[in-house]
Amino acid sequence: MAGPAVTPTAGPSVRVRAPAKVNLYLAVGDLRDDGYHDLVTVFHAVDLADELTVRPARRTAVRTSPPDGVPPGAKNLAGVAARMLATRARAGGPVAIDIDKQIPVAGGMAGGSADAAAALVGCAALWDLDLGRRELTDIAREIGADVPFALAGGTALGTGRGDLLSPVMTRARLHWVLAISDHGLSTPAVFGELDRLRAQGSPPRVKPVDTMLAALTSGEPAKIAAALGNDLQAAAISLAPELRRTLRAGEQAGALGGVVSGSGPTVALLCADAESAGSVAAELAGSGTCRSVRVAAGPAPGARVLPTGGRG
Ligand code: C5P
């Protein structure tokens, strides 16, 4: 159950779309005093997206379809975002949020962050707030480390907790196959597992980010595939060893390279072009190494109001 029944009032509504992300590169530094780790990461938004409809209601509630595994009630990041924006802007009011969920839950693709970013953009439009992207980004940062990127979209270098962004220019249009797992992984548990592995000895760390930035400048998928890297991958595989087989199956099916996305367990396989992604997806779907397979392309835009979503 994703939350209490939503009882919308008649009136305007806004539709918003927000993208999933893949981390093309993720270097994890040491654990900080605030419980976060310093990161250097390259985010890349893909056209696998959640769609939200936001409308005024008697009380704030979030309904997700399908509801499986989505945090209900007060913990849902879309509802958190709506309430935080109303408080900060001293405007707006309760909203009913309906989420058409396409991004895997607890999959390492920042689906909850996408919903939070979409709720910020949707509520700002619904309430006619005179807020710039910068003010929305400040609120996004407080909700979670990945929320600013879900607002921005594209391809971006993230530092700090991953929330300080600068855009990365690239001509590359990247074609992905996403291998989605049976089970989710908790982000804090995967960071904790990396700390544990590092305390025992050092799993090898990813190379400096420059190789990935140069590969993105070249725009060549093969160079980008060779530069994929994620310090969290060893920890995700330690918690979900079957991911090794998924990565191997994807590469055997013809992907240029693969990487666990963020904290996993989704595996992102980079392919030479759309046609190759189609054949890799078909072969991987029959390999029995993941629950389901999606194709996606990037970069995709950040959270935005859909033109057809109009008011009324
Ligand atoms: O910011 P967000 O709520 O998405 O982060 C979830 C958890 O992931 C944090 O509470 C922390 O345990 C871990 N995390 C981290 N370092 C980061 C980002 C997230 O340790 N840079």
Side-chain angles (χ1 to χ4, degrees):
M1 181 68 202
V6 174
T7 49
T9 57
S13 71
V14 174
R15 280 205 315 141
V16 192
R17 177 181 294 160
K21 60 83 181 161
V22 169
N23 299 81
L24 304 180
Y25 174 93
L26 177 52
V28 180
D30 293 331
L31 180 62
R32 314 189 320 191
D33 289 343
D34 65 0
Y36 279 86
H37 295 73
D38 275 316
L39 305 181
V40 177
T41 187
V42 178
F43 289 113
H44 177 75
V46 295
D47 59 5
L48 175 66
D50 284 354
E51 277 187 23
L52 276 69
T53 306
V54 184
R55 52 173 70 84
R58 286 186 199 91
R59 61 195 166 83
T60 292
V62 181
R63 184 170 56 190
T64 306
S65 67
D68 319 351
V70 176
K75 280 196 181 158
N76 191 292
L77 282 190
V80 170
R83 279 188 290 264
M84 201 181 279
L85 181 62
T87 307
R88 290 300 144 79
R90 296 196 180 87
V95 283
I97 301 175
D98 281 285
I99 305 177
D100 175 1
K101 191 101 201 113
Q102 298 295 320
I103 306 173
V105 177
M109 300 195 75
S113 300
D115 297 344
L120 288 177
V121 168
C123 289
L126 188 71
W127 300 334
D128 270 330
L129 299 183
D130 186 22
L131 281 181
R133 278 272 151 170
R134 184 147 173 202
E135 286 146 302
L136 279 187
T137 302
D138 286 342
I139 300 171
R141 189 170 287 134
E142 280 186 55
I143 301 169
D146 287 343
V147 185
F149 178 71
L151 272 181
T155 304
L157 181 68
T159 55
R161 299 178 306 151
D163 56 334
L164 304 173
L165 300 176
S166 44
V168 173
M169 294 305 145
T170 174
R171 278 168 300 173
R173 176 91 187 139
L174 300 181
H175 296 275
W176 298 92
V177 172
L178 305 169
I180 296 162
S181 239
D182 272 329
H183 304 287
L185 279 176
S186 136
T187 302
V190 176
F191 274 99
E193 180 66 2
L194 180 62
D195 293 336
R196 194 187 67 79
L197 292 175
R198 283 180 171 173
Q200 283 182 347
S202 265
R205 293 185 186 235
V206 290
K207 291 185 224 115
V209 71
D210 313 37
T211 317
M212 174 54 80
L213 297 177
L216 285 166
T217 304
S218 82
E220 290 175 40
K223 286 194 179 152
I224 296 166
L228 293 171
N230 179 1
D231 276 342
L232 289 177
Q233 181 161 310
I237 289 176
S238 170
L239 296 174
E242 68 278 7
L243 296 179
R244 235 189 260 285
R245 285 178 55 224
T246 316
L247 282 160
R248 207 178 304 131
E251 285 170 20
Q252 279 167 0
L256 298 171
V259 70
V260 169
S261 175
S263 55
T266 305
V267 168
L269 296 149
L270 181 55
C271 300
D273 50 33
E275 194 186 345
S276 165
S279 71
V280 169
E283 192 168 332
L284 195 64
S287 73
T289 62
C290 55
R291 187 190 71 194
S292 61
V293 167
R294 298 286 299 256
V295 291
R304 68 194 199 284
V305 172
L306 295 175
T308 51
R311 288 153 176 252

